[in-house]
Amino acid sequence: MYKTLNLPAHIDTGKLIELYKQMWLIRYFDEKVDQFFAKGMIHGTTHLCVGQEASAAGSIAALQKEDKITSTHRGHGHCIAKGAETNRMMAELFGRETGYCKGKGGSMHIADLEKGNLGANGIVGGGIPLAVGAGLTSKMKQEGYVVLSFFGDGASNEGSFHESVNLASIWKLPVVFICENNQYGMSGPVKEMVNVDNIAERAPAYGIPGEVVDGNDVIEIINTVYDAVENARAGNGPSLIEVKTYRWKGHSKSDAKKYRTREEEMTWREKDAIKQFKDLLIKEQIFTEDTAEKLRTEAKQEIEDAVAFAENSPEPAIGTLLEDVYA
Amino acid sequence: MREITYLEAVREAMSQEMRKNENVFILGEDIGVYGGAFGVTRGMIEEFGAERVRNTPISESAIAGAAVGSALTGMRPILELQFSDFITIAMDQLVNQAAKLRYMYGGKGTVPMVLRTPAGSGTGAAAQHSQSLEAWMTHIPGLKVLQPSTAYDAKGLLKAAIDDDNPVIFYEHKLLYKTKGDVPEEEYSIPIGKADIKRQGNDVTIIATSLMVKKALEAAAELEKEGIDVEVVDPRTLVPLDEETIIESVKKTGRVVIVHEAVKRGGFGGEIASVISESEAFDYLDSPIKRLGGLPIPIPYNPNLEKATVPQVDNIIDSIKEAVRFK
Ligand SMILES: Cc1ncc(C[n+]2csc(CCOP(=O)(O)OP(=O)(O)O)c2C)c(N)n1
């Protein structure tokens, strides 16, 4: 049945069901963070990817376990999709010792090296060159893994993007550049900041393929990223994929969103990727409405548990302050 | 007199200069309807329009270079960088271009630009958004480096910076934005290179910069209760540095504590200490020169750890007592 979707072989029914739940995990994680932020229980800053779940879940589903990613300041979704434990992520946001960075990194710096997540990044465009370096290791040591590099439409205007794509292209590195075009930088609309209709159109200038995908269509994302990943794995070099998506929330907590309209927000919300995916899975008879509901509540519970874990975790000791500056 | 915030003082200085001189304009990421990352430019696009309040793509190197190039050819740009940490991306344009053009061209041409940027920790934004990198900038001949600590100084020094024919790095501190002070409505200018004695005292001189001025004053108020009379000197501009005021104060008190938020190692406090010990004030010293600065670690996320990384009022009090006790 789901074979009509022409998915890569490793995406079986079980994986699709897992992905559905994963998208809810991502959404509930960030909704929770939003609430705690408003209450002042999480400090610092954070950037939520509510509305962009399909991009993280779909792109990473196209990978094999050994493949790696670099992420962005809006990275909770990528992190969860690459297999991170939500309790340790939440603990990090609470600044606790049990967090992924022992409370020292916070939202923008979560990394999970064992699982191939080379880290979120507080510097816009900062992770893109790192992906090129990881791709270089893969090639030099013939390790066979591919690196997915996530970045935003805004980041695609940084020198680091252009320099990285060029370098990966001339060295034919196994890197797939994923531009999550959510239509805005902080407030800068992509239409005013980029003078082409699609950021993917920049790819030919570097001699690599460029594709645009619907960011609310998980299946299209999986298939497009899979092709690019396998092409890179085969030694044919990088490609650029632009995922057209939207962040439902403001840029960060203090965003009055004056740069966009309520109407525009509603149009995108109506295209909710999770809802579309659910309808598809029911239509393809992969699960029933009841199972879908059960998965959603399980995801919700997991996030509640993550919060409890975080709240019950100790603060890092002041004595750890000087640790980890040098190896 | 009228009280306004440091943030409003910065905005007022820019607005007054822009009304007067059509060559003055501002550029930076999200400075338009969003009003800048910290709200400093809020409302300015309404008054001056998008030509003179130019929203840029996220491209620090290009926008710094655009400031340098437009300054060289007759404009007086004010560039806002969202966080001073991103100076690193603009570094070539500042260090190799802005700072050197006039000298290399044998005194031909000027680069009258101001780079305004918030620095410092205390907001939980962690290691990539909390640094104090001013010492770096002071090492580069050709740049002027300012660090106003009050609303009054921010307005007067920013006007002087805009009037100056050289590239000026104007550091604002995130935790100072909301602090209030007496600020005249009319235009005024504070000469670049003139320190300010923020509090007169006889027992010990504390030389503090930026947010540390506020903390030093709090420490001084505490110590007054114990009969210790602290003089607080705020250099306000690091380059050029008002050596005379510093030396005179040390000659008067015979004891000195230098405090800045930036990492102590390689920090600007070392420069101030050398200025003192190379001067006649050395003969007046009754205790060793004491420096207080940030620990040599990246700024951690957890709030307790973050506080413990940079000098706090208690640390300043302890250092002053130590200096005073020294026989
Ligand atoms: C080098 C740098 N410049 C500016 C910022 C401030 N900043 C953080 S996120 C952001 C917008 C990024 O937009 P985009 O790349 O499109 O990603 P999105 O937030 O839309 O996911 C900006 C300007 C930063 N963190 N790093």
Side-chain angles (χ1 to χ4, degrees), chain B residues 206-268:
Chain B
I206 173 143
I207 301 163
T209 58
S210 190
L211 180 67
M212 291 301 146
V213 175
K214 187 167 169 269
K215 298 201 167 172
L217 288 168
E218 283 168 42
E222 272 306 305
L223 289 166
E224 189 181 320
K225 297 175 198 157
E226 299 179 28
I228 302 174
D229 188 16
V230 180
E231 175 145 311
V232 178
V233 177
D234 174 6
R236 298 195 291 201
T237 77
L238 304 187
V239 179
L241 180 68
D242 179 355
E243 300 185 358
E244 199 185 309
T245 302
I246 292 171
I247 291 166
E248 284 312 309
S249 174
V250 176
K251 278 163 71 179
K252 179 171 80 171
T253 64
R255 298 175 198 268
V256 60
V257 175
I258 303 163
V259 54
H260 55 60
E261 178 171 335
V263 171
K264 179 176 159 185
R265 180 181 68 214
F268 195 73

Side-chain angles (χ1 to χ4, degrees), chain A residues 47 52 72-74 108 122-125 151-156 158 180 182 184-186 247 251, chain B residues 29-30 58 60 82-83 86 89 129:
Chain A
H47 310 84
Q52 303 185 191
T72 68
H73 58 285
R74 201 176 298 289
M108 285 190 290
I123 301 298
V124 169
F151 55 93
D153 44 289
S156 79
E158 287 280 14
E180 297 188 308
N182 61 13
Y184 295 93
M186 234 160 102
R247 59 166 156 75
H251 164 73
Chain B
E29 296 157 15
D30 306 289
I58 310 171
E60 289 79 9
Q82 294 194 337
F83 287 83
F86 313 154
I89 300 168
H129 286 72

Side-chain angles (χ1 to χ4, degrees), chain A residues 20 24 270-280:
Chain A
Y20 178 74
W24 275 117
E270 279 157 21
K271 293 191 272 196
D272 184 358
I274 303 187
K275 166 122 196 358
Q276 285 192 38
F277 193 34
K278 184 179 94 176
D279 293 347
L280 178 79

Side-chain angles (χ1 to χ4, degrees), chain A residues 42-44 92-93 95 103-106 108-109 121-123 154 157-158 186-188 193 255 315-317 321-322 325-326, chain B residues 30 33-34 37 56-60 82 86 89 123-126 128-129 265 295 297 300-306 308-309:
Chain A
I42 292 179
H43 92 142
E92 187 55 39
L93 288 162
K104 289 177 172 176
M108 285 190 290
H109 308 108
N121 212 305
I123 301 298
N157 297 319
E158 287 280 14
M186 234 160 102
S187 68
M193 296 298 158
D255 181 355
E315 300 269 342
L321 210 47
L322 300 176
V325 178
Y326 298 102
Chain B
D30 306 289
V33 284
Y34 197 94
T56 67
I58 310 171
S59 311
E60 289 79 9
Q82 294 194 337
F86 313 154
I89 300 168
T123 68
Q128 295 175 328
H129 286 72
R265 180 181 68 214
L295 295 176
I297 60 174
Y301 168 72
N302 175 282
N304 309 325
L305 297 188
E306 185 184 27
T309 303

Side-chain angles (χ1 to χ4, degrees), chain B residues 54-127:
Chain B
R54 299 187 82 89
N55 252 342
T56 67
I58 310 171
S59 311
E60 289 79 9
S61 173
I63 56 186
V68 179
S70 66
L72 186 67
T73 49
M75 301 299 286
R76 303 189 84 85
I78 306 170
L79 164 60
E80 174 174 305
L81 273 194
Q82 294 194 337
F83 287 83
S84 76
D85 312 66
F86 313 154
I87 271 191
T88 54
I89 300 168
M91 208 65 160
D92 168 59
Q93 291 300 322
L94 297 175
V95 175
N96 297 322
Q97 314 298 339
K100 298 190 169 56
L101 291 185
R102 179 176 169 82
Y103 187 82
M104 293 191 305
Y105 295 172
K108 287 194 291 275
T110 54
V111 183
M113 63 178 277
V114 182
L115 186 153
R116 292 182 33 244
T117 189
S121 66
T123 68

